[in-house]
């Protein structure tokens, strides 16, 4: 079964599909933006492993020291995404991918693996119930209900940065932090920009384009974070109907 999977490399990243958005003919701006983001990360130990087929079956992780999240910990791996959707469910692919990540981390002599979760499962976050079945446990929390899950190999634990726990900014406008790791991000950013321009909604869109910016963010982050009236709202990508509800509440 292991032969069904492939890791992205500098040699194949230009031609392999990236799972979340599959396009066979026309280039997709979000996909190409992610492809470039990934190409810049591969040399840092970033791993993108996927089913060798046109399907949404993949895992994505990186050394915590170079992971674009406001989490710190000594010698950990950060698991960004683990997805299996559609007809590919029920084949054990998720288990195989997670076991690969665990084995890889152990082989590298890592202290453990961590991932972002929430007291209530959120869209755009990997299934934390699945992770807990494989030994992950909650090791840190924020006041807004987000959790840091970890599978420790040596009893050490990672934690959110103090900035991530602040969950407040001075700007009272709709404020969105984003990076280009998720191929859906560009279209969400553009739709929000257009809606706000057409409806007179003040918005500040901040691209997180360096590791330092990611580590210093004032909230949890997994490629997106929304603030409104100075308060942190969610890591969920913000659709227009959700935006309307947010600014009307």
């Amino acid at each position: 079964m292991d032969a069904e999977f492939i890791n992205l490399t500098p040699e194949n990243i230009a031609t392999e599909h990236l799972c979340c958005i599959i396009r066979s003919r026309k280039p997709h701006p979000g996909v190409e933006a992610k492809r470039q983001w990934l190409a810049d990360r591969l040399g840092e130990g970033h791993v993108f492993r996927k089913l060798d087929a046109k399907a949404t079956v993949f895992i994505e992780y990186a050394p915590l020291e170079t992971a674009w999240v406001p989490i710190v910990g000594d010698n950990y791996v950060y698991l960004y995404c683990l997805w299996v959707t559609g007809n590919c469910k029920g084949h054990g692919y998720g288990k195989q991918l997670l076991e690969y990540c665990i084995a890889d981390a152990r082989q590298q002599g890592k202290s453990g693996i961590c991932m972002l979760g929430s007291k209530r499962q959120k869209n755009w976050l990997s299934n934390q119930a699945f992770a807990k079945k494989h030994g992950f446990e909650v090791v840190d929390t924020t006041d807004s209900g987000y959790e840091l899950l970890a599978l420790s190999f040596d009893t050490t634990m990672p934690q959110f940065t103090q900035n991530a726990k602040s969950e407040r900014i001075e700007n009272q406008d709709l404020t969105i932090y984003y990076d280009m790791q998720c191929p859906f991000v560009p279209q969400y950013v553009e739709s929000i920009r257009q809606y706000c321009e057409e409806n007179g909604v003040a918005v500040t869109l901040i691209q997180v384009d360096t590791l330092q910016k990611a580590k210093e963010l004032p909230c949890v982050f997994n490629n997106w974070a929304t603030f409104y009236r100075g308060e942190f709202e969610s890591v969920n990508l913000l659709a227009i109907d959700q935006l309307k509800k947010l600014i009307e509440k």
Side-chain angles (χ1 to χ4, degrees), residues 43-64:
E44 302 169 351
H46 192 107
V47 174
F48 188 105
R49 183 172 177 81
K50 69 188 186 73
L51 191 67
D52 192 10
K54 285 193 174 181
T56 305
V57 181
F58 71 100
I59 191 168
E60 189 172 354
Y61 59 90
L64 182 57

Side-chain angles (χ1 to χ4, degrees), residues 37-189:
W37 190 91
L38 277 174
D40 294 338
R41 307 277 81 75
L42 291 180
E44 302 169 351
H46 192 107
V47 174
F48 188 105
R49 183 172 177 81
K50 69 188 186 73
L51 191 67
D52 192 10
K54 285 193 174 181
T56 305
V57 181
F58 71 100
I59 191 168
E60 189 172 354
Y61 59 90
L64 182 57
E65 291 82 359
T66 57
W68 287 32
V69 289
I71 298 168
V72 292
D74 185 27
N75 201 35
Y76 259 75
V77 166
Y78 181 74
L79 200 167
Y80 286 105
C81 302
L82 173 58
W83 292 105
V84 178
T85 65
N87 295 332
C88 291
K89 288 185 176 180
H91 296 277
Y93 292 142
K95 183 173 183 290
Q96 291 177 65
L97 287 168
L98 184 56
E99 288 179 346
Y100 177 91
C101 176
I102 294 171
D104 188 19
R106 287 188 180 278
Q107 185 175 9
Q108 294 182 57
K110 296 295 186 181
S111 294
I113 303 166
C114 61
M115 61 181 282
L116 182 62
S118 174
K119 289 182 179 179
R120 294 181 61 186
Q121 179 70 41
K122 302 286 188 180
N123 293 333
W124 306 98
L125 288 183
S126 299
N127 189 328
Q128 59 233 35
F130 177 77
K132 288 177 180 178
K133 289 181 181 178
H134 288 78
F136 284 73
E137 60 181 343
V138 176
V139 298
D140 203 359
T141 61
T142 69
D143 289 342
S144 59
Y146 285 92
E147 300 176 332
L148 180 61
L149 279 63
L151 173 63
S152 178
F153 303 152
D154 61 8
T155 74
T156 63
M157 298 295 177
Q159 61 186 357
F160 292 121
T161 64
Q162 285 303 117
N163 278 350
K165 290 188 173 185
S166 67
E167 301 186 314
R168 293 193 61 84
I169 58 175
E170 292 185 6
N171 191 348
Q172 298 294 297
D173 296 342
L174 174 67
T175 302
I176 295 171
Y177 295 89
Y178 67 94
D179 67 27
M180 290 300 179
Q181 183 184 8
C182 174
F184 288 98
V185 161
Q187 66 194 58
Y188 273 78
V189 168

Side-chain angles (χ1 to χ4, degrees), residues 233-244:
E233 294 290 338
S234 177
V235 298
N236 288 5
L237 296 183
L238 189 64
I240 296 303
D241 58 339
Q242 296 166 326
L243 169 58
K244 292 178 182 178

